[in-house]
Amino acid sequence: ERLRGLPHVADVRRYGLSAGIELLKEPATGEAFDPSERRGVAVCLAARERGVFLRPLGDVIVLMPPLTLSDDEMDTLVDAVAYGIEVALR
């Protein structure tokens, strides 16, 4: 839920521990980023700087953590995603 307030986050969809974070250029209007910019990839590469490997599907960041994820590991994951979004989508 913490990620919903970040700029360019249009939606956070969850099913169990899996989540999809949809990124848009203008969430209020539904305007997407130009696909050639590969913003989802940029977010995932930035998150790697924090030790987290993510999977982009276009401009949707997919999280599929293991069921054995601890609370501290979940915090690390969310922090890395937030960092990736903030750095890559300035």
Side-chain angles (χ1 to χ4, degrees):
E1 291 302 313
R2 182 178 92 161
L3 299 173
R4 286 187 191 273
L6 294 176
H8 304 292
V9 173
D11 193 18
V12 178
R13 297 181 290 274
R14 296 180 313 152
Y15 186 78
L17 282 182
S18 299
I21 303 157
E22 183 179 9
L23 306 172
L24 292 176
K25 186 174 186 175
E26 294 293 336
T29 64
E31 180 184 355
F33 289 107
D34 181 329
S36 68
E37 295 176 359
R38 299 179 52 128
R39 296 296 184 113
V41 170
V43 169
C44 293
L45 290 174
R48 278 191 200 175
E49 295 172 17
R50 298 293 169 102
V52 172
F53 290 86
L54 301 173
R55 178 181 180 207
L57 288 176
D59 288 334
V60 175
I61 307 304
V62 177
L63 307 178
M64 295 180 67
L67 295 176
T68 58
L69 192 72
S70 71
D71 289 343
D72 287 341
E73 291 168 329
M74 180 62 83
D75 289 340
T76 298
L77 177 60
V78 173
D79 289 345
V81 173
Y83 172 80
I85 290 170
E86 290 165 356
V87 168
L89 302 181
R90 298 185 195 158

